Amino acid sequence: MAGNTLPFKSNYAVSSKIEPFYKGGKVQISHDEQYIFCTCGPRVNILQINTGKIIHSIEQDDQEDITSFSLSPDDEVLVTASRALLLKQWDWKQEKCTRSWRAIHNVPVASMTFDCTSTLLATGGCDGTIKLWDVVKQYCTHNLKGSSGVVHLVEFHPDISRLQLFSSSVDCGIRIWDLRTSKCICVLESHYSAVTSLAFSPDGQTLISSGRDKICSVWDLKKKAVKRTVPVYEAVEGVVLLPGKSDYSQMGVKGEGLHFVTAGSKGVLRVWDSSSARCVFTQMLPDAPALNTEEADLDPRSLMQLLPMPRSNRLVTVTAEHNILIYQMPALTVQQQFVGYNDDILDVKFLGKDDTHIVVATNSSQLKVFELATNSCQILYGHTASPTFGKMTFIGRVHCVAQGSGHSNAVGSVACSRLKKAFLVSGSQDCTIKVWDLPDPLPDVGCDVMLMTARLTEKAHDKDVNSVTISPNDKLLASGSQDRTAKLWSLADMSLLGVFRGHSRGIWCVQFSPVDQVLATASADGSIKIWSIQDFSCLRTFEGHDASVLKVIFVSRGTQLVSSGSDGLVKLWTIKTNECVKTFDAHQDKVWALHASSKDDLMVTGSADSTITLWKECEMKQSKLQQELSNLLHEKKYLKALGIAISLDQPHTALRVIREIRQQEDGIQELEKTLLKLRQDQKESVLRYSVVWNTNSRSCLDAQAVLQVLLTHLIPEEILQYQGTRTHLEGLIPYTERHMQRIGRLLQASMFLDYMWQKMRITGGKDSVNLDDDEEMDSSPQSIFIVDKQPMDTADIQESLQQQEDEEEDLEDPEKREELLDEDESVSTSKSAHVNGVKLNGVNRVEDGGQVSSEESEDEDDVVELTTKFLPIESMDSDPSKTADIR
């Protein structure tokens, strides 16, 4: 496509999303090994292993967090327990709740499991009791008491004919319950810390238990005694027995005895021989540095769960950072990795020849490389607060090849040379910029990581360096900083070529145009500016974001911009017309990351809401609903417009409708009439939007207006029926209190101004300040004191007389007389100061020996501005030579 005929982009559509699906808690694999079940707050998410997609999401209606769940061995029944003390039975394939009942436990359920027949369900509560339920006949069959504290582990014996249940609580013992008599027949005592996992041998005669006391115990269930204690020297969270029929020689298994795999705080899998209590195999992590065993318990790679997949001979581990890894045995090669929770996403870039991968930087120390086709992830360890350079191989794996250190503070931005991978530039919070030479040629995979040294170091800014970028010809470097300036450098010797000044707050991003000699900057003042790199003048300013602009990129061969901001919005701009073509609302928090693909047809964004969104360019085919929404806003048919904004799930558009309603003459009545005509589900959405609006001081008044209508006209029972009402109301309280405090401070300040104004006595005198003829006087039309030429009415005269009588009474009191004298002295001093200098707009111009000195005062600016704003315009004297006398 020729450059002259390149059309402007008009729209992007969401192609896919990588969203958080696991935030800690239980993880379970389906019996057919096709799905992973995991908790995420009030939801149980079902992840399809082959595609990496969330195919089902089971959500609690009351929005209470799920404390435990269990999937039946036949993969048909899912039971969840929440903090509301309810058990719910789900047809998870249809996402339908088939039955719910009270758990009878006085406190939340901490653990649960099914027996092998999928008919009995055991629940362990935080109250120390265990209850068994017949899910077919729907009644409680057993109530087992005797455990002390939270029952965090329950397991049925695999041989159902024994009718035995194993449990463990905070007393560190393993209790064996006979379900025929409902009594505890034995307590296995060996651990001195919490028991985390149980594994039964195929014949059911041997039990292996793991604990956080850094040992594993091998039990003889016939004798109810310990056969062997295996010291593993790490807090063990999971144990799995290896099947005896397969060949596991690659994992150190040579004999025919029982071997088991442990996972724990050191972050590696280890194989143990139960007969000799020796470790026969330790997993190696080539991409990760060696762990410090003294600090291993705090390492984010610590393994929290270990699950078997016997059909496919695989193992599943869950890390402390909510990553799920699938290993293929016996080689223990990583087959798939899924990231359950990314936390704040700070940056994202396309990677690979055809942009098949993206690399993501979060507020953790690991980089994550996602394959877009399957959402499978490779986690890169070993990143520090220094530049690290990686290389991607033809099989889609990323390996570290070079690393450099030298900055004294965090590295905020890194840019690589464009024409040839010869060097990179880093900017840091230590206010410096460093230029690093890359090794040539780059080391192959498997070679030692080479150390880079900084070729040039420059003290670039007075504050943090937030962004650095290199020009397309590798000759220029631009940097942006919190000191509100951007600078242009020559990469040959790091000499300063010029400074771009004009932003009122810090600059978050700088970008060179791919075709023109211009630079784009994005700032915390909410604007984007285009600068000429020849004369450093500002050519264009784009305003439209309600908060900081965090990222900006050029698209359409330099003719358009895409920006992202802390308001959660992404905007598409046309440079020639200064027009915002489209606003995209797909994130709920700050959008830190923004990047375009090499073909310019895809765009990826990452936000502090832990969501990565992949956008695909599409033609501007605005739907009928969107077109109708624009028409309705123009025609002021707000009820239909608000309904369409809710149906499109566009909170930003709904906020615009609310604001337009409130700007009408009868805005309060119109808003009340509009909101009360909405359906219940629409009111629920508006309430949810209001919680988000209330977090921002710019939109809190709109949110409070909506809340006033809903809380005034709807009965509490109706509001409580809304989904997540309790969570929403709890989220409103702290921000509302903060807004009330802010308004209270403003009210006190305004009352002080009102008091000062009421106490002023202004007359129509025309005395002026005598100035020499050769001195110039500021001819600004503004004046501090306003001359009120209208006569005082009777009420004012009576009030004045009353005040004079009060003052005469005060003079009779010696103490008050001294106070009044001091006050008169200060007033006279103030008068003389005003006579000797003219005070305008918060600037004191004091005449001294023919020289004029200025002193700014922000507080005085505010007072003068507020005073001028609230005074009647008719009373202002337009003659700048006139001053007012205070009597």
Side-chain angles (χ1 to χ4, degrees), residues 8-77:
F8 288 149
K9 299 182 186 303
S10 57
N11 196 17
Y12 282 94
V14 175
S15 174
S16 61
K17 282 189 176 185
I18 301 176
E19 298 181 288
F21 63 88
Y22 173 61
K23 296 183 180 180
K26 184 177 179 179
V27 174
Q28 187 173 349
I29 311 296
S30 63
H31 187 66
D32 59 10
E33 300 181 0
Q34 294 185 13
Y35 308 100
I36 297 176
F37 291 71
C38 49
T39 58
C40 185
R43 300 188 303 276
V44 173
N45 291 320
I46 297 101
L47 177 76
Q48 190 171 28
I49 295 176
N50 293 336
T51 63
K53 307 292 185 183
I54 300 295
I55 60 168
H56 298 293
S57 184
I58 308 299
E59 187 168 2
Q60 294 282 122
D61 294 335
D62 53 10
Q63 293 294 302
E64 291 285 350
D65 286 349
I66 292 176
T67 57
S68 184
F69 74 92
S70 185
L71 178 69
S72 62
D74 59 5
D75 293 340
E76 294 295 331
V77 178

Side-chain angles (χ1 to χ4, degrees), residues 293-312:
T293 55
E294 296 179 357
E295 299 179 358
D297 293 341
L298 303 176
D299 194 271
R301 287 174 288 157
S302 299
L303 302 179
M304 307 305 295
Q305 294 183 58
L306 176 63
L307 306 170
M309 297 177 69
R311 286 190 176 185
S312 56

Side-chain angles (χ1 to χ4, degrees), residues 60 64 136 187 232 475 481 561 635 752 884:
Q60 294 282 122
E64 291 285 350
V136 177
V187 179
V232 294
K475 293 183 179 180
S481 169
L561 295 172
E635 298 172 3
F752 175 75

Side-chain angles (χ1 to χ4, degrees), residues 128 147-153 167-173 175 193-195:
S147 302
S148 59
V150 178
V151 181
H152 58 266
L153 181 62
S167 69
S168 181
S169 60
V170 295
D171 59 4
C172 309
R175 298 178 182 271
S193 185
V195 178

Side-chain angles (χ1 to χ4, degrees), residues 105-134:
H105 292 280
N106 297 324
V107 287
V109 174
S111 58
M112 65 169 63
T113 186
F114 273 96
D115 72 337
C116 60
T117 65
S118 302
T119 57
L120 281 181
L121 173 71
T123 59
C126 296
D127 54 1
T129 64
I130 303 171
K131 292 177 171 55
L132 271 69
W133 309 84
D134 189 325

Side-chain angles (χ1 to χ4, degrees), residues 378-437:
Q378 179 191 357
I379 301 173
L380 307 180
Y381 295 96
H383 193 78
T384 61
S386 301
T388 304
F389 193 75
K391 179 180 180 180
M392 189 171 185
T393 61
F394 67 95
I395 58 174
R397 303 290 294 178
V398 179
H399 303 269
C400 180
V401 297
Q403 181 175 342
S405 60
H407 283 289
S408 61
N409 209 330
V411 179
S413 180
V414 176
C416 190
S417 54
R418 308 278 286 273
L419 296 179
K420 183 182 178 182
K421 304 306 180 200
F423 64 91
L424 60 86
V425 179
S426 61
S428 170
Q429 291 182 6
D430 60 10
C431 308
T432 66
I433 294 176
K434 291 180 181 288
V435 181
W436 311 76
D437 286 325

Side-chain angles (χ1 to χ4, degrees), residues 141-390:
T141 61
H142 297 74
N143 185 14
L144 308 179
K145 299 180 179 180
S147 302
S148 59
V150 178
V151 181
H152 58 266
L153 181 62
V154 286
E155 287 287 345
F156 283 96
H157 193 281
D159 185 1
I160 191 60
S161 62
R162 293 196 179 193
L163 285 177
Q164 288 182 348
L165 178 71
F166 292 71
S167 69
S168 181
S169 60
V170 295
D171 59 4
C172 309
I174 303 172
R175 298 178 182 271
I176 305 177
W177 302 86
D178 186 351
L179 301 184
R180 294 183 177 91
T181 61
S182 298
K183 292 183 179 180
C184 177
I185 59 176
C186 181
V187 179
L188 306 179
E189 295 181 343
S190 171
H191 292 278
Y192 295 94
S193 185
V195 178
T196 55
S197 181
L198 301 177
F200 294 91
S201 63
D203 59 5
Q205 301 300 324
T206 304
L207 170 70
I208 298 177
S209 61
S210 64
R212 297 194 179 106
D213 52 4
K214 303 184 179 182
I215 65 169
C216 288
S217 299
V218 182
W219 302 87
D220 185 340
L221 292 182
K222 282 187 177 181
K223 299 179 181 180
K224 307 292 191 297
V226 176
K227 293 170 58 176
R228 187 172 294 278
T229 299
V230 182
V232 294
Y233 307 108
E234 67 170 330
V236 182
E237 296 292 340
V239 60
V240 170
L241 273 173
L242 290 177
K245 298 179 181 180
S246 302
D247 180 17
Y248 293 105
S249 57
Q250 295 185 43
M251 300 172 65
V253 179
K254 297 178 180 179
E256 295 184 355
L258 282 178
H259 291 75
F260 59 91
V261 185
T262 60
S265 58
K266 290 187 177 180
V268 294
L269 299 176
R270 295 194 289 176
V271 181
W272 301 82
D273 186 349
S274 63
S275 58
S276 63
R278 290 189 305 108
C279 177
V280 297
F281 177 81
T282 300
Q283 180 191 21
M284 299 298 294
L285 298 177
D287 295 333
L291 278 174
N292 185 346
T293 55
E294 296 179 357
E295 299 179 358
D297 293 341
L298 303 176
D299 194 271
R301 287 174 288 157
S302 299
L303 302 179
M304 307 305 295
Q305 294 183 58
L306 176 63
L307 306 170
M309 297 177 69
R311 286 190 176 185
S312 56
N313 200 25
R314 292 183 289 180
L315 289 175
V316 177
T317 61
V318 182
T319 70
E321 283 204 330
H322 314 311
N323 303 322
I324 301 175
L325 293 80
I326 302 178
Y327 293 95
Q328 182 65 57
M329 294 192 293
L332 281 184
T333 55
V334 177
Q335 194 179 59
Q336 287 177 289
Q337 294 184 83
F338 302 105
V339 177
Y341 185 63
N342 280 308
D343 215 344
D344 289 7
I345 296 170
L346 303 181
D347 205 0
V348 61
K349 291 287 188 292
F350 280 100
L351 192 65
K353 184 178 180 181
D354 297 322
D355 297 328
T356 56
H357 294 67
I358 56 173
V359 57
V360 179
T362 67
N363 54 358
S364 70
S365 59
Q366 290 85 38
L367 290 174
K368 300 180 178 73
V369 180
F370 288 90
E371 184 181 2
L372 293 176
T374 62
N375 284 356
S376 183
C377 175
Q378 179 191 357
I379 301 173
L380 307 180
Y381 295 96
H383 193 78
T384 61
S386 301
T388 304
F389 193 75

